[in-house]
Amino acid sequence: MYRYDEYDHTLVLERVAQYRDQLQRNLAGELSDDEFRPLRLQNGLYIQRHAPMLRVAIPYGMLSSMQLRKLSDIGRRYDRGYGHFSTRQNMQFNWPKLEDTGDILAELATVEMHAIQTSGNCIRNITTDPFAGVAPDEIVDPRPYCEVLRQWSTFHPEFAFLPRKFKIAVSGTLEDRAVTYAHDVGLQLYRDEKGDVLARVIVGGGMGRTPILGSVIHEALPWQHLPTYLDAVLRVYNRYGRRDNAYKARIKILVKAIGAEAFARQVDEEWQLERDGIATVTQAELDRARAAFTDPEAPVLPETDAGFDAKLASDPAFARWVSRCVRGHKRPGYRAVTLSLKPTGIAPGDISCEQMDALADLADRYGFGELRVSHEQNVVLADVALADLYELWLGARAHGLATPNIGLLTDIICCPGGDFCSLANAKSIPIAQAIQEAFENLDYLYDVGDLELNISGCMNSCGHHHVGHIGILGVDKTGSEWYQVSIGGSQGNRTSLGDVIGPSFAAEEVPGVIKKLVETYVEQRTPEERFIDTVRRLGMAPFKASVYGESTKKAEVTHG
Amino acid sequence: MAELIRGTEVVADDWTWVRLPESQEPVRKSAGKVVLFKLTGEKAASDDVISACDIPAGKVLLPLSVWLRRRDELATRADDGEIGVWLDSHEEPAELAESLGGNLNRLPLIGVNFPKFIDGRGYSIAFILRTRFGYRNELRALGDVLRDQMFFFHRCGFDAYLLRADQKAERCIGALKDFTAPYQTSTDGQPPVFRRRAAPGADA
Ligand code: HEM
Ligand code: SF4
């Protein structure tokens, strides 16, 4: 894991001092709320429905057990005993006091953490694959490149006040697990025939009220040029992105307006100014970053483990958990484990301080003290020996961290919605819980299989409903809460945006609607098909008919 | 009174900053040189307003539009070093460069206006003036110039700051040093941290 050197430490401490001073001036009435707002946002501090919300950066999702213990400590002392993992690999505290935020940042600095640029119209925390470095299908470990870009983007003097927020995701695998097509910039790392690392640069994706998949503007950018090329992308955006309307200010609108080709040409022209200049990354720096992400000093293990095989055969509950929560690893004898933060009855992504401590202990015991946070709002232990899986499972289960539902319908991605967020049209957490309750039967859930369900409380799409196999969106109809349902969205290599099935529903109708969609799939599927495959093959019609009744079906037939 | 900082000193301002009255005509601005379309509907001054603009004696900092339209009548004063030009956040440095035959250093002073501090276009304009056009003389931040942005102004190439009237100069000068070793390079010539890390004697 990347460790701070003196430069990193100094910078973060100077930030704490700077922020304390800003907060002080605000509390003293010297800095108006309007002027403090953009400054505190760049430090992760929102003022929302009940209290301030503080968003802590977990750069590219990597967390040490020591850092997690500190988050737990902060949750206990400054919050109500829990935290929330967001869909962008950050942790949010929902109940800190404004006056305490300076102290919280100072606490974070002691474990090499901060809240820099986790909000505001600037370059945000860079996200990547939670299985980076261990995935069997990995071509390039994205983390050293993420670290180089973290440094490039932190307090970038030219891009602190962009038209809108700017999110970058990096992937280095065959199967894209970082949603690179739905980010302002997505970077897909791969190798040429000589083995040199290149980046495919995708620009202008995003969700929000105008969901758009990004366009490739550079097919093969050598890694050395990432900072200078991204400077050029951001300079064009900074100067020409719209600033008159916040809903049209993302880079996707600019790229769409002038066309991806024209945008690419302009970036290229801008790039010539800095190309091969002093900001070009050196091999020495890449090597330094790489050295921070070496494999743990782990013993070499055989392919199989007899004890593990025996438990698998004798304990069906364990076997079930393994089938959903444990995945392959590039080294023999090891597995990557996802611990679910989606048990029924708990807001997706919420984690209590007791659970954080327990997780930190499990990571120390079985995972080399390292954890990752996934954008699906779960936690990953990336290097677990086969022989340790059973004990890990017992330990996780004792703390409610072993719900065997990874990738299943109840592994819901959900934004905080109306319970916490002042922008919400509707609540989202109670909807997630009602759906989880409606699908409590594990056998049925397993039979249904892989299904991604995403919920957002409004068009800002924090819950990524556009790319859910089933997406649920809170809408406001004359002051009451309604929900629009879409199907057919997907992340990964075949990223697609879902289509709305029809008129929206009241909250209590939603679980029933999801049930009908799922029943239709179960009736119509071929043996190999996942929900999304059946939707792709059959289209909307049978699903729509099952939800809205025969009348719609007939109407559609007569309309051709 | 708005104070002027040059480098790290408070100095008397010997320039008159000339501004045009607010106009209501939106400009259709191009997204670079490629395609014309309306991006932000910035306001532009009409010909009448430009010709009616009173240009006082002494050193004057003029709006780009006035300079472009009236530079013949200003030629001698420009040669005497009495003319500076300021750009608004939506204006093109290239237009100014073109009007000077590519040599921005014929001007002793260029200003860049920040209509609101959250409008970050001026940072890129400064970067472009300093790098692409090699401008070396005074580059002054105008408008919503506040303490919390001083560090960024300086890094992007500004060396003079006309503070908003409510700002305390000494605090703003202090803020130029908010951070000792920024990660990335900019026009200030600081190499990125990684090149310093690699330098002999630096920490590994
Ligand atoms: C509770 C207070 C929150 C507020 C006020 C808030 C506000 C917003 C707003 C206004 C946007 C839309 C920006 C745009 O599209 O231009 C947005 C997007 C987003 N938010 Fe939140 N959010 C909150 C919490 C969260 C949480 C808890 C998560 C993670 C679970 C989250 C994840 C995201 C993501 C991933 C997007 C990006 C969608 C995209 O790429 O367009 N937000 N948020
Ligand atoms: S999607 Fe809307 S309701 Fe949900 S967190 Fe984002 S802004 Fe709030």
Side-chain angles (χ1 to χ4, degrees):
Chain A
M1 200 164 139
Y2 184 77
R3 297 300 310 262
Y4 281 12
D5 69 2
E6 247 163 83
Y7 289 105
D8 304 293
H9 270 298
T10 309
L11 201 80
V12 168
L13 290 177
E14 286 170 339
R15 170 57 143 201
V16 173
Q18 184 193 41
Y19 175 77
R20 277 193 198 278
D21 176 66
Q22 291 166 349
L23 178 65
Q24 218 45 53
R25 278 183 283 145
N26 175 250
L27 295 173
E30 273 177 60
L31 181 64
S32 71
D33 286 348
D34 275 354
E35 282 176 17
F36 182 44
R37 194 173 163 276
L39 304 178
R40 66 169 160 73
L41 285 176
Q42 303 223 350
N43 243 315
L45 191 71
Y46 279 85
I47 307 286
Q48 43 160 349
R49 193 155 276 189
H50 302 291
M53 179 270 274
L54 182 69
R55 186 181 288 157
V56 177
I58 302 176
Y60 35 92
M62 297 281 299
L63 198 59
S64 71
S65 54
M66 178 182 67
Q67 292 174 324
L68 185 57
R69 287 198 183 89
K70 177 53 78 181
L71 291 174
S72 155
D73 177 44
I74 290 172
R76 278 204 181 86
R77 283 160 56 202
Y78 299 101
D79 203 297
R80 299 188 177 173
Y82 73 100
H84 172 85
F85 284 116
S86 80
T87 52
R88 294 205 74 257
Q89 302 182 318
N90 294 311
M91 167 157 273
Q92 303 191 164
F93 290 111
N94 280 314
W95 310 95
K97 290 204 204 57
L98 182 61
E99 310 80 72
D100 286 341
T101 48
D103 295 340
I104 299 177
L105 294 180
E107 291 280 347
L108 289 170
T110 63
V111 292
E112 309 183 359
M113 296 187 86
H114 58 72
I116 296 165
Q117 289 167 218
T118 54
S119 182
N121 295 334
C122 51
I123 306 169
R124 301 289 190 83
N125 187 25
I126 293 164
T127 52
T128 190
D129 178 7
F131 301 103
V134 303
D137 67 338
E138 186 164 278
I139 305 164
V140 181
D141 183 347
R143 293 170 301 170
Y145 303 89
C146 291
E147 174 54 29
V148 166
L149 292 178
R150 179 190 74 81
Q151 300 196 15
W152 159 80
S153 65
T154 301
F155 304 135
H156 197 303
E158 205 183 328
F159 307 127
F161 296 96
L162 296 169
R164 203 70 184 78
K165 61 185 175 181
F166 201 89
K167 299 177 178 180
I168 300 176
V170 187
S171 81
T173 45
L174 292 176
E175 173 67 32
D176 171 19
R177 279 184 294 268
V179 216
T180 48
Y181 274 97
H183 279 76
D184 296 288
V185 164
L187 300 171
Q188 295 182 347
L189 303 176
Y190 64 100
R191 289 179 194 279
D192 64 12
E193 331 63 83
K194 294 201 305 280
D196 292 334
V197 172
L198 303 173
R200 181 174 298 114
V201 182
I202 301 159
V203 169
M207 302 197 216
R209 66 186 59 212
T210 323
I212 300 179
L213 298 182
S215 316
V216 176
I217 62 161
H218 202 309
E219 266 297 341
L221 182 72
W223 61 270
Q224 295 87 338
H225 299 301
L226 280 168
T228 54
Y229 190 80
L230 291 178
D231 271 344
V233 169
L234 275 137
R235 189 164 305 124
V236 172
Y237 170 56
N238 189 34
R239 300 196 60 219
Y240 302 113
R242 286 182 65 162
R243 288 174 186 265
D244 57 330
N245 177 343
Y247 294 119
K248 301 206 160 132
R250 296 287 288 269
I251 196 174
K252 62 192 173 186
I253 306 290
L254 176 64
V255 173
K256 203 170 169 205
I258 68 177
E261 267 177 50
F263 183 82
R265 267 202 306 282
Q266 220 163 312
V267 168
D268 195 64
E269 195 176 306
E270 195 64 50
W271 182 37
Q272 302 314 319
L273 206 60
E274 283 185 73
R275 188 176 180 168
D276 297 319
I278 194 171
T280 310
V281 185
T282 56
Q283 185 66 46
E285 176 63 4
L286 184 71
D287 291 345
R288 195 184 77 92
R290 264 209 206 121
F293 301 104
T294 46
D295 294 336
E297 303 265 329
V300 177
L301 297 176
E303 287 279 359
T304 56
D305 180 83
F308 169 73
D309 291 339
K311 288 293 180 202
L312 211 52
S314 65
D315 191 333
F318 175 61
R320 187 170 250 174
W321 177 76
V322 170
S323 77
R324 291 313 313 186
C325 303
V326 174
R327 54 194 290 157
H329 197 287
K330 68 173 186 196
R331 284 197 313 274
Y334 288 87
R335 295 290 183 272
V337 174
T338 306
L339 297 172
S340 171
L341 296 180
K342 318 284 179 70
T344 302
I346 302 285
D350 272 9
I351 177 166
S352 71
C353 292
E354 291 72 44
Q355 286 178 315
M356 288 188 230
D357 291 338
L359 252 181
D361 291 343
L362 292 172
D364 280 342
R365 214 166 315 148
Y366 307 113
F368 301 93
E370 240 177 57
L371 307 103
R372 293 103 180 279
V373 183
S374 77
H375 81 264
E376 289 94 352
Q377 302 176 281
N378 294 311
V379 176
V380 171
L381 295 187
D383 298 277
V384 182
L386 265 182
D388 288 338
L389 281 173
Y390 191 73
E391 279 181 38
L392 168 61
W393 174 66
L394 291 176
R397 203 171 57 158
H399 296 278
L401 293 165
T403 311
N405 65 348
I406 298 303
L408 297 176
L409 190 152
T410 55
D411 183 10
I412 296 172
I413 296 180
C414 177
C415 83
D419 294 300
F420 296 101
C421 173
S422 47
L423 303 174
N425 288 326
K427 295 195 182 66
S428 51
I429 293 169
I431 298 293
Q433 293 179 354
I435 294 170
Q436 286 173 331
E437 278 158 22
F439 286 90
E440 261 185 339
N441 181 331
L442 266 185
D443 291 326
Y444 185 60
L445 208 54
Y446 273 65
D447 180 49
V448 171
D450 290 335
L451 202 165
E452 294 171 15
L453 196 152
N454 299 47
I455 309 177
S456 304
C458 79
M459 250 315 181
N460 289 317
S461 316
C462 302
H464 300 180
H465 66 276
H466 298 295
V467 292
H469 298 170
I470 297 178
I472 300 177
L473 166 66
V475 289
D476 182 54
K477 271 211 264 185
T478 57
S480 56
E481 302 188 348
W482 289 78
Y483 297 88
Q484 199 177 65
V485 176
S486 56
I487 57 174
S490 142
Q491 48 170 335
N493 286 4
R494 286 190 63 190
T495 302
S496 57
L497 302 169
D499 292 313
V500 177
I501 62 171
S504 45
F505 306 96
E508 58 276 12
E509 296 175 295
V510 173
V513 170
I514 306 305
K515 278 201 147 157
K516 285 197 183 130
L517 292 174
V518 171
E519 280 160 15
T520 310
Y521 155 68
V522 172
E523 282 160 22
Q524 307 268 354
R525 68 181 165 187
T526 62
E528 295 302 309
E529 270 180 351
R530 296 170 304 156
F531 178 86
I532 180 71
D533 303 319
T534 309
V535 173
R536 284 180 178 146
R537 178 170 56 85
L538 295 177
M540 182 74 83
F543 293 93
K544 207 166 167 163
S546 77
V547 171
Y548 295 99
E550 283 303 301
S551 55
T552 358
K553 200 171 176 182
K554 287 208 190 84
E556 264 184 9
V557 173
T558 39
H559 291 158
Chain B
M1 242 299 280
E3 292 184 282
L4 175 69
I5 297 172
R6 202 176 271 144
T8 55
E9 310 279 323
V10 181
V11 294
D13 190 358
D14 47 352
W15 291 84
T16 309
W17 181 16
V18 177
R19 278 164 286 184
L20 294 170
E22 281 280 306
S23 134
Q24 291 314 312
E25 266 180 64
V27 202
R28 290 173 68 85
K29 188 166 72 83
S30 75
K33 296 180 202 108
V34 188
V35 186
L36 269 174
F37 82 107
K38 186 177 162 228
L39 277 165
T40 48
E42 311 287 351
K43 308 279 189 278
S46 67
D47 284 341
D48 290 351
V49 172
I50 291 171
S51 39
C53 173
D54 179 40
I55 303 176
K59 293 178 168 184
V60 286
L61 180 56
L62 299 175
L64 176 67
S65 56
V66 171
W67 164 252
L68 291 179
R69 227 73 66 79
R70 292 170 62 177
R71 60 177 191 247
D72 290 344
E73 85 187 70
L74 296 164
T76 341
R77 289 183 66 182
D79 289 341
D80 293 343
E82 284 193 351
I83 305 290
V85 176
W86 65 274
L87 301 170
D88 213 343
S89 60
H90 65 280
E91 289 177 327
E92 286 291 340
E95 278 192 70
L96 177 59
E98 205 176 312
S99 75
L100 292 157
N103 182 11
L104 288 184
N105 290 314
R106 286 168 57 194
L107 296 176
L109 172 65
I110 296 178
V112 177
N113 186 38
F114 288 79
K116 291 199 202 95
F117 79 90
I118 53 165
D119 179 347
R121 287 176 284 190
Y123 299 103
S124 287
I125 293 177
F127 183 91
I128 288 167
L129 289 170
R130 288 293 192 206
T131 52
R132 181 177 311 154
F133 296 112
Y135 178 65
R136 290 185 308 273
N137 301 329
E138 180 176 329
L139 184 56
R140 188 183 286 193
L142 306 168
D144 221 6
V145 176
L146 314 179
R147 174 223 167 104
D148 294 293
Q149 284 75 52
M150 293 296 285
F151 183 74
F152 294 147
F153 287 138
H154 173 62
R155 294 215 65 210
C156 288
F158 290 101
D159 54 4
Y161 321 86
L162 184 63
L163 303 180
R164 199 174 70 185
D166 63 345
Q167 299 290 299
K168 299 197 183 95
E170 131 222 2
R171 297 260 227 150
C172 292
I173 292 169
L176 288 168
K177 295 203 232 78
D178 271 351
F179 298 96
T180 39
Y183 280 127
Q184 60 299 89
T185 183
S186 192
T187 63
D188 59 4
Q190 295 231 41
V193 155
F194 65 78
R195 288 191 188 265
R196 273 175 286 163
R197 277 175 172 140
D203 294 315

